[in-house]
Each structure stands twice: as C-alpha cells, then as structure tokens.
C-alpha cells in the first residue's frame, strides 16, 4: 500500500472565502470603470479593455506579493488597507509606464481614467472595511466564533494566546491553557495568571463534553509520544486539532512551509530571492540602476577626472569582497586613498586617516565614491539593496567572531542596506558595532519585500548620503 494512503497526506489550506474576496475585488475594478463611462455617456473603447486587463493582472500580482488574501481572517484592517493601496499604486505605475511607449490614456479619456484610478481603491477599501466590521460585530455577539484551548502553558503558548487577544478578527475565544506542569512560570508570571484551565485529562474531558471547538498543541518537539497520545484521545471528540511546532528554538532566517509530494518541509534558513521574488528583485535592480546611471553620467565623468587630477593612481579602486554564496567578487569604487589595499591585512578607514585624500574624504562622506557599484549591479554581482560587502580579509576574521555572520551571504551584497539607514555605516571599530550591523543585515533578509527595498533607497538619500558618518 502506498505510504501516503496509509498515513494520509497534508494538503495546503484551502479557503473558498479567499477566492471569493479575489473575485469581488476584480468585479469592483471592472464595475467601477463601466459605471464611470456609463455615467458620462461614453462608449467602452479598446483602450479601456487594456486598462482593465492590466489593472486586474498587476493588482492580483502585487496583492499576492503583499499576502493581501493569504491571512484574511487574522489580518489587521489597517495592514489590509495599506496592502490594497500599495497594490493599486503599482497598477498606476505600470499603466503610466506603458503609456509612455504605447499610448493607453488618450487626452479625451484622461479625466475618466483619473476618476477610475481614484475611485477603485476607495471602493475596494470600503467593502473590505464593511465586511470586516460586520464580521467583528457578529463575533462580538458570540456568533461565528470558536472556543480555542492551548495545550502547553509555555512561552509559545502564551505568544499564541496574545495573538488571539490582539487579533479579534480571528474570531477565537480563548478557553485556557491545559498542561500537566502546574508549577511552571511564564515570562516571570505564575500559570494561574495565564488562565491555567486544567491538566491533559481535563482537556480530554472538556473536549468530549463540547466545551472546546479547537485545540492548539504547543508542546515541545521532544514530547512526541505525549503529543501522539493526546491526538489519539482527542479523536474521540469533534474538536479540530492544530499542532504548532516550536520553531523558535532555531535561529530562523526567512523560514517558510513547503511540501514535497504531500510531505511538509519547513525551511529554517533560506534566501528570499528564490523564484518569482528573485525575478522581481533583479528587475528592480536593473531598472533602477539604468535610470541612476543615466542621471549620473556627467557627475561620473567629472568625479573620474577629479580623482585622476587630485592624486596619482587609478581612478577606479577594485577590491575583492564576498558576494552571494560566499563567492569572491570584485567591487568597484572611486579611489579615495593614496593606497590600494587588497591583501590579508586591510585596515578600515578611520577619522582623519592619513591614507584618505582630500577629495577622497569628500567622496566617502557623501557616498559618491560608491557610484561605480551601479555597474556592479548591472553585472549581477551586487544588488542595490542588501548587506554591504566587506573585504575578504575582514570577512575571514569576523566569521569566527560573530555567530551567523556568513548568513548575510545568502543574498547579494548591496550598495546600501538596512544597517546603513539605521546608523551602522562606515567604520566599525568595535566588535559590538559589527554585531549590530549583522543583526540589521539578517533582519533585512527575514523581512524582505519590494516595499522595504524602496523604503531603504529613499531613506538612504537622507540618512545615507546626506547624513553619512563615513571616514
């Protein structure tokens, strides 16, 4: 007998309400356009068909990237509104971008276009708020709610309980903790303060008595036999059972759930730029780099000439650094020193460093010395946003001093990064400063999104270039 038939198969969660929400958003987009044209006695044109098709595709893509529909029941309405507006913003960007090459918004239709662009997000947000409010009212009256119990009065269980309390839209009424460890304390507080309902046997009794609708098991992985026993005993009731693995015992980095032929696979550490996200990241790098290189073409020539005139030596300083996967890459910068160090004994630039030229000090302070790295981005060696690359010699030293240091190399190094906009740019003269920088680098990898990249680029202009503390 096939093992999947014998033991069952874990299937991805399917929610028909999510499909309905997607469909309603598409209907709103189409009906709004039709209504605007109809109210203005304007016939539907081929251009409007393109507006509709592009908007549906682009909104759907960015709504998926923002996980607008994936966690609809536990999603804060404020976050939901933000994701709707962000997704629709990119509809405008794409249509206007296409309009530059192939006119889609004729002057005669421009007024209707902007009416439609402004009305759609208002209507989508409105119906999402109305549905969320109605659901909230229903749940406050005790309907469409489920009584939830947590098995395991531990840190993970308390965290889950707090989520139930914060996210009322989930419609979960917390019954209490069930645990045989009566004397355990959580976060410095006694279990009694965290609503300890009873032992495991009491759980079985309450489940069979209909006092519980859903059970979340947060026991540690080492209690496999106890978990299995509880699940078997709960099978003599009608409660739904969920197991919440305590993955916080691991140092998670961009963790996610996958399945291989029905077998669940949890990634503990992974790159965020696999598949579609990788294509988006690369497209963002190429488009933005080309635009910036076109804009800075003349400043590049001026700086090149100035470096050549100000001091003897090459205009471009090339240094070996670690790229994605820990592979060596050659990073370009305008030369700012009288020396070109790239060996096993490289000293970081310090305040009033005699090796830095007068022009070099200005270039480093304003980050203009890093402009040639946009060429590295086009070459595919770097990204616009990512952990800043360090010299090979520095990498080899820090990887033995800082836990998880090399994890920053599961993505491409960047011209700017999350650490840089948070004040960790330039000299890292203490191990503590480098540890803080690495913490921000790993936080970037954990929380990456296209919006985060855009935010970092914008903040770099103010915090990185204009307020830099580099020597």
């Amino acid at each position: 007998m096939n093992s999947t038939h014998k033991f069952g198969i874990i299937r991805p969660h399917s929610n028909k309400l999510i499909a309905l929400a997607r469909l309603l958003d598409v209907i709103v987009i189409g009906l709004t356009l039709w209504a605007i044209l109809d109210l203005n006695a304007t016939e539907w044109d081929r251009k409007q068909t393109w507006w509709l098709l592009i908007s549906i595709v682009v909104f759907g893509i960015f709504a998926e990237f923002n996980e607008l529909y994936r966690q609809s029941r536990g999603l804060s309405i404020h976050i939901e509104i933000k994701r709707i507006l962000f997704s629709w913003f990119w509809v405008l960007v794409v249509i206007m971008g296409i309009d530059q090459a192939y006119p889609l918004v004729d002057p005669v239709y421009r007024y209707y276009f902007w009416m439609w662009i402004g009305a759609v997000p208002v209507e989508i947000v409105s119906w999402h708020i109305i549905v969320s409010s109605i659901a909230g009212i229903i749940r406050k009256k005790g309907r469409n709610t489920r009584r939830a119990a947590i098995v395991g009065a531990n840190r993970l269980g308390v965290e889950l309980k707090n989520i139930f309390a914060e996210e009322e839209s989930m419609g979960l009424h917390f019954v209490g903790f069930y645990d045989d460890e009566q004397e355990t304390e959580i976060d410095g507080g006694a279990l009694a303060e965290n609503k300890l309902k009873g032992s495991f046997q009491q759980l079985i009794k309450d489940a069979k008595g209909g006092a519980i609708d859903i059970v979340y098991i947060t026991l540690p992985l080492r209690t496999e036999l106890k978990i299995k026993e509880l699940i078997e005993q709960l099978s003599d009731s009608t409660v739904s059972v969920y197991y919440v693995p305590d993955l916080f015992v691991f140092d998670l980095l961009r963790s996610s759930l996958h399945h291989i032929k029905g077998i669940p696979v949890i990634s503990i550490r992974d790159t965020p730029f696999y598949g579609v996200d990788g294509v988006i990241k690369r497209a963002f790098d190429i488009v933005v780099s080309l635009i910036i290189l076109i804009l800075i073409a003349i400043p590049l020539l001026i700086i090149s000439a100035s470096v050549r005139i100000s001091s003897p030596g090459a205009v471009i300083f090339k240094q070996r650094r670690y790229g994605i996967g820990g592979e060596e890459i050659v990073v370009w910068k305008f030369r700012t020193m009288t020396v070109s160090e790239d060996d096993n004994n490289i000293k970081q630039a310090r305040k009033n460093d005699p090796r830095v030229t007068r022009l070099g000090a200005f270039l480093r302070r304003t980050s203009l010395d890093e402009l040639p790295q946009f060429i590295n981005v086009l070459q595919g060696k770097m990204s616009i946003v990512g952990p800043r690359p360090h010299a090979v010699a520095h990498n080899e030293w820090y990887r033995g001093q800082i836990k998880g240091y090399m994890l920053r190399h599961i993505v491409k190094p960047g011209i700017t990064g999350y650490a840089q906009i948070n004040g960790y740019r330039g000299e890292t003269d203490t191990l503590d400063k480098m540890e803080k920088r690495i913490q921000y680098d790993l936080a970037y990898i954990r929380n990456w999104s296209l919006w985060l990249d855009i935010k970092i680029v914008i903040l770099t202009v103010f915090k990185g270039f204009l307020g830099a503390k580099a020597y």
Side-chain angles (χ1 to χ4, degrees), residues 20-33 52 56 123:
L20 180 60
R22 294 176 188 269
L23 178 61
L24 286 176
D25 283 347
V26 170
I27 291 174
V28 168
I29 293 172
L31 280 181
T32 303
L33 180 56
L52 183 60
I56 290 173
E123 294 183 2

Side-chain angles (χ1 to χ4, degrees), residues 175 178 197-198 201-212 239:
V175 173
Y178 290 85
K197 188 76 173 179
Q201 288 307 311
Q202 184 64 44
L203 167 73
I204 303 303
K205 182 179 178 180
D206 290 349
K208 290 181 178 179
I212 302 170
V239 299

Side-chain angles (χ1 to χ4, degrees), residues 90-329:
W90 282 101
V91 171
L92 174 62
V93 170
V94 170
I95 291 179
M96 297 308 294
I98 295 175
D99 184 62
Q100 300 301 311
Y102 176 76
L104 282 179
V105 188
D106 294 338
V108 68
Y109 295 128
R110 195 173 297 277
Y111 174 70
Y112 308 133
F113 171 78
W114 287 109
M115 282 184 64
W116 174 64
I117 285 293
V120 167
V122 173
E123 294 183 2
I124 292 179
V125 166
S126 297
W127 89 255
H128 278 252
I129 291 176
I130 291 171
V131 170
S132 179
S133 300
I134 292 174
I137 292 172
I138 292 173
R139 288 173 188 137
K140 285 182 179 179
K141 291 184 176 181
R143 299 179 180 179
N144 194 27
T145 60
R146 305 181 77 184
R147 295 164 295 176
I150 297 177
V151 179
N154 49 35
R155 179 179 57 84
L156 180 60
V158 171
E159 188 167 340
L160 192 61
K161 183 209 74 170
N162 292 337
I163 292 174
F164 294 164
E166 293 169 2
E167 302 295 341
E168 293 183 358
S169 61
M170 295 180 71
L172 295 175
H173 172 68
F174 179 59
V175 173
F177 287 105
Y178 290 85
D179 202 319
D180 284 344
E181 300 293 332
Q182 302 283 343
E183 302 301 325
T184 307
E185 290 194 352
I186 305 172
D187 295 334
L191 282 180
E193 298 176 8
N194 284 290
K195 205 172 181 179
L196 182 63
K197 188 76 173 179
S199 65
F200 294 149
Q201 288 307 311
Q202 184 64 44
L203 167 73
I204 303 303
K205 182 179 178 180
D206 290 349
K208 290 181 178 179
I212 302 170
D213 298 312
I214 183 170
V215 171
Y216 289 89
I217 300 175
T218 63
L219 297 176
L221 297 172
R222 65 178 180 273
T223 60
E224 176 188 357
L225 294 178
K226 174 57 70 175
I227 294 170
K228 190 173 182 180
E229 179 186 345
L230 284 171
I231 292 174
E232 288 177 353
Q233 293 182 28
L234 288 170
S235 65
D236 190 28
S237 70
T238 59
V239 299
S240 299
V241 180
Y242 289 82
Y243 177 63
V244 185
D246 189 3
L247 298 180
F248 296 104
V249 299
F250 306 109
D251 183 13
L252 300 180
L253 190 66
R254 203 69 190 188
S255 60
S256 57
L257 176 65
H258 309 271
H259 69 274
I260 301 175
K261 294 270 186 181
I263 300 175
V265 179
I266 300 174
S267 67
I268 303 300
R269 299 186 182 116
D270 198 4
T271 174
F273 307 128
Y274 179 76
V276 176
D277 285 341
V279 174
I280 294 172
K281 176 74 166 175
R282 183 61 182 150
F284 176 79
D285 285 342
I286 292 174
V287 171
V288 176
S289 293
L290 285 173
I291 292 173
I292 291 177
L293 283 171
I294 291 172
L295 293 175
I296 65 173
I298 294 178
L300 281 175
L301 293 175
I302 294 174
I303 294 172
S304 298
S306 300
V307 172
R308 172 69 73 180
I309 295 171
S310 64
S311 62
V315 172
I316 300 295
F317 167 54
K318 299 179 181 180
Q319 189 178 65
R320 294 176 301 117
R321 303 195 175 188
Y322 278 163
I324 187 170
E327 296 181 358
E328 285 190 9
I329 61 173

